[in-house]
Amino acid sequence: MESAAARPRPVLTADAVLPEDAGRAALVARVHDPEAGGPCVAAVRGERVVDLTAVAPTVSDLLERDDAAEVVREADGGRAWRLDDLLGAPPGQRDVPHLLAPVDLQVVKAAGVTFARSLLERVIEERTGGDPAQAARVRERVVRLVGGRLDGIRPGSPEAAKVKELLLAEGLWSQYLEVGIGPDPEVFTKAPVLSAVGTGADIGVLRASVWNNPEPEAVLVVDSRGRVRGATLGNDVTLRDVEGRSALLLSRAKDNNASCAIGPFVRLFDDDFGIDAVRGLDIDLRVEGPDGYVLRGSSSLREISRDVLDLVSATYGAHHQYPDGFALFTGTLFAPTEDRRAPGEGFTHEYGDTVHISSPRLGALVNTVVPSEEAPPWTSGVGALMRSLARRGLL
């Protein structure tokens, strides 16, 4: 199999990644700038990306400000880059300015099983023990016996409790049904602080995995007081064969090198874009294989089973605080079942796939699939960020 470096890469442009109404949006980016010696907080103003690090040394600091959107639109900045130049940088080449994930000190959290369709797919993974060859047969049975009973069910309601009793009696209850329709959502830590990759970067799946999917999601960006300050897109890459063997392998399935992508930018809340706009988001997915294969799908936040603010409340509160804020993946409706490698085995990635996740008001997150073992190693953590900011006199 060819190396990651040899595979063709998508050519990205500003027009391809900006929201359709970018002229009205307050957009936050992060840029790796070798001249500055580290990451810079930046504002996207048209096709220019303006350094705001002297105003707010981290995105976390910026989002603590009540005037964050005004700062992004109007504050005097330092140097500027052409967005097209940042998008054209080769993945992993640290001597060239390029875009990073637009969050930094925020903890990266994720809510799982928040849509009925993905809920059923998690049950199928569990029933197959992670074996994709059994997926079609098990899917037919699970959908026939379980699917209709979940229609319109509100998690944690008396109706949900009755469904649980029925499924328990038939031996069909699952830990995924528990978090899907029970009182408490699944919220887990998706990735370590500063490990997420941005648009244009490689995204990784383990070589050992034979059944894996992209998970296109809306990501809420929340400050230290639990206020949602903006939103972006994310790919919560999952190894279905690994998690299907045991839910206790969730970390192995979810947290690997380059296995979390966020971007392209954080769109801050303002009078034109707020939580109701997030509730109405449609997210499109396109996977293009190096062999000409194309997969399309979509996910609509209108079909989520728990309100996004309920997911925030389950993450932050008297029970748990986040001094630097957090980024929260809200789950996905999308669960591809189309066969790719063999009949009955459903979809899985091939190395070289381009994953294009987009939403009109958030732009496009684009990544190329490689083995996690070949993705650029994660070498810049919290210590490196603090040393970089200290050298620049920003702390």
Side-chain angles (χ1 to χ4, degrees):
M1 186 172 290
E2 63 180 340
S3 70
R7 298 184 186 103
R9 305 285 172 174
V11 178
L12 300 182
T13 64
D15 287 343
V17 304
L18 285 168
E20 64 180 14
D21 58 344
R24 300 199 304 271
L27 301 174
V28 180
R30 285 177 68 243
V31 176
H32 170 75
D33 181 17
E35 184 176 316
C40 299
V41 178
V44 182
R45 298 172 181 171
E47 295 191 7
R48 295 174 67 247
V49 181
V50 179
D51 184 6
L52 296 181
T53 316
V55 180
T58 67
V59 175
S60 174
D61 288 319
L62 174 64
L63 298 192
E64 292 299 312
R65 299 181 58 144
D66 292 336
D67 63 347
E70 181 181 345
V71 168
V72 168
R73 287 193 175 95
E74 300 178 8
D76 292 335
R79 64 171 302 186
W81 307 266
R82 291 181 65 248
L83 180 54
D84 280 337
D85 291 340
L86 297 175
L87 292 167
Q93 192 166 322
R94 297 191 60 79
D95 60 347
V96 178
H98 58 271
L99 289 176
L100 301 169
V103 295
D104 43 38
L105 296 181
Q106 293 90 348
V107 177
V108 183
K109 307 291 287 188
V113 202
T114 56
F115 291 84
R117 191 187 308 170
S118 62
L119 163 58
L120 291 178
E121 285 300 309
R122 299 291 86 76
V123 176
I124 290 161
E125 286 170 18
E126 182 183 51
R127 296 280 162 169
T128 63
D131 179 2
Q134 300 182 47
R137 175 181 56 79
V138 174
R139 182 174 293 111
E140 180 181 0
R141 179 172 182 265
V142 169
V143 171
R144 185 177 71 250
L145 297 176
V146 179
R149 294 177 176 176
L150 303 180
D151 293 345
I153 288 290
R154 183 170 56 85
S157 67
E159 293 78 13
K162 291 178 181 178
V163 170
K164 177 176 180 177
E165 291 177 7
L166 288 171
L167 295 176
L168 278 170
E170 294 188 21
L172 286 174
W173 190 246
S174 160
Q175 57 200 334
Y176 294 104
L177 288 162
E178 178 63 49
V179 296
I181 67 173
D184 298 312
E186 177 190 26
V187 180
F188 58 93
T189 299
K190 162 64 181 177
V193 171
L194 286 169
S195 68
V197 300
T199 202
D202 291 333
I203 194 162
V205 298
L206 291 181
R207 279 200 186 98
S209 175
V210 297
W211 190 17
N212 45 75
N213 285 179
E215 293 194 348
E217 305 187 22
V219 180
L220 304 178
V221 186
V222 186
D223 70 10
S224 67
R225 287 172 277 178
R227 302 179 302 171
V228 183
R229 303 306 310 278
T232 185
L233 296 169
N235 187 352
D236 179 19
V237 181
T238 190
L239 310 183
R240 299 188 65 180
D241 48 352
V242 174
E243 186 178 356
R245 285 160 43 205
S246 171
L248 296 180
L249 292 172
L250 182 65
S251 180
R252 177 73 168 168
K254 293 283 191 179
D255 181 10
N256 298 291
N257 191 31
S259 66
C260 177
I262 299 176
F265 319 112
V266 174
R267 181 166 185 166
L268 299 182
F269 284 1
D270 55 19
D271 292 340
D272 190 51
F273 181 80
I275 197 67
D276 285 337
V278 172
R279 291 182 174 118
L281 287 175
D282 293 318
I283 300 173
D284 293 321
L285 172 84
R286 186 174 75 251
V287 177
E288 298 177 352
D291 56 354
Y293 173 88
V294 178
L295 173 74
R296 297 181 186 274
S298 63
S299 183
S300 174
L301 269 290
R302 288 184 292 273
E303 297 185 45
I304 199 167
S305 60
R306 302 179 193 265
D307 186 73
V308 290
L309 290 185
D310 290 337
L311 298 177
V312 172
S313 296
T315 307
Y316 170 91
H319 65 292
H320 205 314
Q321 298 79 46
Y322 297 84
D324 298 300
F326 59 96
L328 177 63
F329 282 73
T330 55
T332 186
L333 169 67
F334 179 70
T337 60
E338 294 88 342
D339 291 333
R340 185 174 190 180
R341 291 178 178 171
E345 292 193 5
F347 172 85
T348 195
H349 274 306
E350 298 284 356
Y351 301 141
D353 281 351
T354 298
V355 182
H356 186 283
I357 297 170
S358 63
S359 190
R361 305 198 72 185
L362 294 177
L365 173 65
V366 185
N367 303 98
T368 300
V369 176
V370 301
S372 288
E373 295 88 346
E374 287 187 28
W378 176 37
T379 59
S380 186
V382 175
L385 173 60
M386 294 300 107
R387 288 190 292 271
S388 172
L389 294 175
R391 283 195 301 269
R392 289 180 265 171
L394 297 170
L395 289 183

